Amino acid sequence: MKVSVLAQNLSGSEIIKIAGEINELKKQGQNIANLTIGDFDSNIYPIPTELKDGIIDAYNHNQTNYPPADGMLNLRESVSAFLKNRMGLEYGANQILISGGSRPLIYSTYLALVDPGDKVVFPTPSWNNNHYCDLTGAEAVLVETRPENNFMPTADEIAPHLKGATMLALCSPLNPTGTMFGKKDLEEICDLVIAENQSRGADEKPLYLLYDQIYSQLTFGEYKHYDPVTLRPELKDYTIFIDGGSKCFAATGVRVGWGFGPTEIVSNMKAIVGHMGAWSPKAEQVAMAEYLVNETYVNTYLNKLKSDIQTSLSTLHEGFQNLKADGFSVDSIEPMGAIYLTIKIDYTGKATPDGHVLKNSADVNFYLIKEAKVAFVPFSAFGTGEEVTWFRASVGASTLEDIQQMIPRIREALSKLK
């Protein structure tokens, strides 16, 4: 059967492959601690009560017809106020686009700005930029990052790749690492973008910056979220933000995302999202509009969610640091934001008790699934090579007790490798 070149060349999701293995073991009655999915178990982390009540009320009042293509005006106004109050970002309702989560916003940014063959620069590991390049025919330029910099890209690493590029795609806090830009590091990258655009002629396409800050409200301790436009206001004409309520309100299935940026670009994104039919459900928009402007509700929920997520991440981090102290070839990076912990499990080349050699990070992961009943995601799923022995651990679908109990199982499983 003949299909399109795009369909033939589009690569599948490694996370889905891992999920298939987990589901097969669950069918056999095994209980697997699943730290693969960037989601929340809604029984552990329910959405805010006030938001849920608002959604139900909106459905009871028959708010079930098509919403406007760019989102309900009152929601865009609420988002505008939310951005100003919490981040000091000034964007009017006409510069904000609502969609069914953040994915349509990222895709529509690519479609609005990137032509086939255009260069898109992004770090590895990062989430899904390689697939969006495939979908748009862009030339993907992968910037390898280092654990010494918490897997966040630096200006020195990015600089050689910006000449002639159409877009630089960044994310902070970063999926998959849960690490963040420091102020100085992001300022240096912003200055590169400014300098590159100053070097281009009036008839040349500028270098745009896609800035995914969907986890910006989930930061821990002394770590602070920074954004390009606050640090360098002159980037406002070239920066498209990706944001929404999916992560900060544990509302991934509610599907209310918001993007914002230059009016002309957002208008083009609106047309694209409209043709995709990728708008957020109207009842959810109505409820989110009312919820966002109640600072008491928002602060109360975020404080509790952040505390619980940080406790789980810190517990997992401490567990891996204890394993490291006991001589195991593992490591982890202190949690900074999002729902992820970056962990190292350096056991490639080792043999299992039955003599099977673990050739790469995927082998190590599937061994842990079977022997320790715990599943992570290798960084190879986010654009690195399979030889990289770092993994993403997501705590949103696990209880604190689950996390405490998995460390001894990991210890035992790793002890069996030779």
Side-chain angles (χ1 to χ4, degrees):
M1 183 178 294
K2 290 289 185 180
V3 295
S4 70
V5 173
L6 171 63
Q8 292 177 50
N9 294 330
L10 194 63
S11 56
S13 168
E14 189 169 341
I15 299 175
I16 292 176
K17 295 177 187 176
I18 298 168
E21 180 79 10
I22 295 169
N23 290 334
E24 187 60 35
L25 291 172
K26 284 185 173 180
K27 287 180 184 177
Q28 299 171 15
Q30 298 189 35
N31 185 24
I32 309 296
N34 187 356
L35 278 74
T36 67
I37 188 166
D39 197 359
F40 300 87
D41 183 326
S42 55
N43 292 306
I44 303 171
Y45 297 106
I47 66 172
T49 300
E50 299 85 4
L51 178 60
K52 180 172 70 174
D53 291 344
I55 294 170
I56 293 169
D57 183 68
Y59 276 108
N60 285 335
H61 284 85
N62 299 318
Q63 298 280 15
T64 54
N65 57 321
Y66 287 132
D70 54 353
M72 301 285 291
L73 175 59
N74 60 344
L75 175 55
R76 288 185 283 119
E77 290 172 342
S78 293
V79 169
S80 177
F82 183 83
L83 295 173
K84 182 176 181 179
N85 293 339
R86 300 194 77 88
M87 303 181 206
L89 291 169
E90 298 265 4
Y91 285 85
N94 65 324
Q95 297 176 294
I96 296 167
L97 172 63
I98 308 300
S99 81
S102 63
R103 289 177 191 242
L105 297 167
I106 298 173
Y107 189 25
S108 64
T109 301
Y110 270 80
L111 289 170
L113 300 178
V114 178
D115 291 311
D118 281 1
K119 287 171 55 178
V120 175
V121 181
F122 57 89
T124 59
S126 68
W127 180 82
N128 254 29
N129 283 297
N130 55 331
H131 296 300
Y132 289 115
C133 285
D134 288 344
L135 287 166
T136 54
E139 177 189 345
V141 180
L142 284 63
V143 178
E144 186 175 343
T145 59
R146 297 174 294 153
E148 293 81 6
N149 295 323
N150 299 322
F151 292 103
M152 298 301 294
T154 66
D156 286 343
E157 291 165 344
I158 289 173
H161 308 289
L162 293 187
K163 186 59 62 179
T166 295
M167 192 162 73
L168 171 63
L170 301 175
C171 176
S172 183
L174 178 63
N175 179 3
T177 63
T179 56
M180 302 168 58
F181 281 120
K183 182 172 183 285
K184 178 175 178 293
D185 291 330
L186 186 55
E187 285 176 332
E188 291 175 352
I189 293 171
C190 289
D191 290 340
L192 286 180
V193 176
I194 292 169
E196 176 60 27
N197 277 329
Q198 289 174 343
S199 75
R200 298 191 182 187
D203 59 341
E204 293 182 86
K205 188 186 291 186
L207 172 62
Y208 292 103
L209 178 57
L210 184 156
Y211 200 70
D212 183 346
Q213 59 172 27
I214 192 72
Y215 294 99
S216 63
Q217 300 303 306
L218 298 180
T219 61
F220 311 122
E222 64 186 22
Y223 294 103
K224 181 181 178 183
H225 173 72
Y226 295 98
D227 73 83
V229 171
T230 298
L231 296 180
R232 296 292 186 267
E234 55 266 55
L235 283 177
K236 191 171 186 179
D237 290 339
Y238 307 103
T239 303
I240 299 88
F241 287 89
I242 307 299
D243 210 332
S246 296
K247 306 299 184 176
C248 60
F249 303 127
T252 54
V254 174
R255 310 311 299 149
V256 182
W258 47 84
F260 51 100
T263 306
E264 183 177 352
I265 295 172
V266 169
S267 294
N268 283 285
M269 291 167 61
K270 167 188 170 181
I272 293 166
V273 169
H275 286 304
M276 289 192 292
W279 44 74
S280 174
K282 187 176 181 183
E284 280 77 354
Q285 290 195 43
V286 170
M288 187 68 78
E290 295 179 0
Y291 180 78
L292 276 183
V293 293
N294 191 311
E295 288 192 38
T296 300
Y297 290 163
V298 170
N299 288 333
T300 299
Y301 184 83
L302 277 176
N303 289 341
K304 178 68 164 59
L305 179 65
K306 288 170 63 173
S307 176
D308 291 346
I309 292 293
Q310 184 178 9
T311 298
S312 289
L313 287 169
S314 296
T315 299
L316 187 58
H317 175 56
E318 290 165 9
F320 268 80
Q321 290 303 304
N322 289 337
L323 289 172
K324 179 183 177 182
D326 290 341
F328 289 87
S329 297
V330 302
D331 205 350
S332 57
I333 297 175
E334 180 183 17
M336 302 175 189
I339 58 175
Y340 309 116
L341 185 73
T342 292
I343 59 177
K344 184 178 186 180
I345 309 172
D346 192 8
Y347 280 82
T348 53
K350 298 293 185 180
T352 65
D354 60 5
H356 175 70
V357 176
L358 304 178
K359 297 177 182 178
N360 51 43
S361 57
D363 284 351
V364 172
N365 197 45
F366 286 123
Y367 171 74
L368 289 175
I369 291 173
K370 292 176 180 177
E371 291 295 325
K373 303 296 184 285
V374 59
F376 305 116
V377 182
F379 274 10
S380 58
F382 305 103
T384 72
E386 289 191 345
E387 75 282 356
V388 174
T389 56
W390 292 84
F391 298 74
R392 182 185 83 173
S394 174
V395 301
S398 298
T399 65
L400 180 59
E401 184 180 14
D402 290 335
I403 292 168
Q404 291 167 335
Q405 291 177 351
M406 73 178 64
I407 297 297
R409 299 200 304 270
I410 294 171
R411 178 186 294 270
E412 182 180 355
L414 295 180
S415 297
K416 294 178 182 178
L417 296 173
K418 304 297 182 185

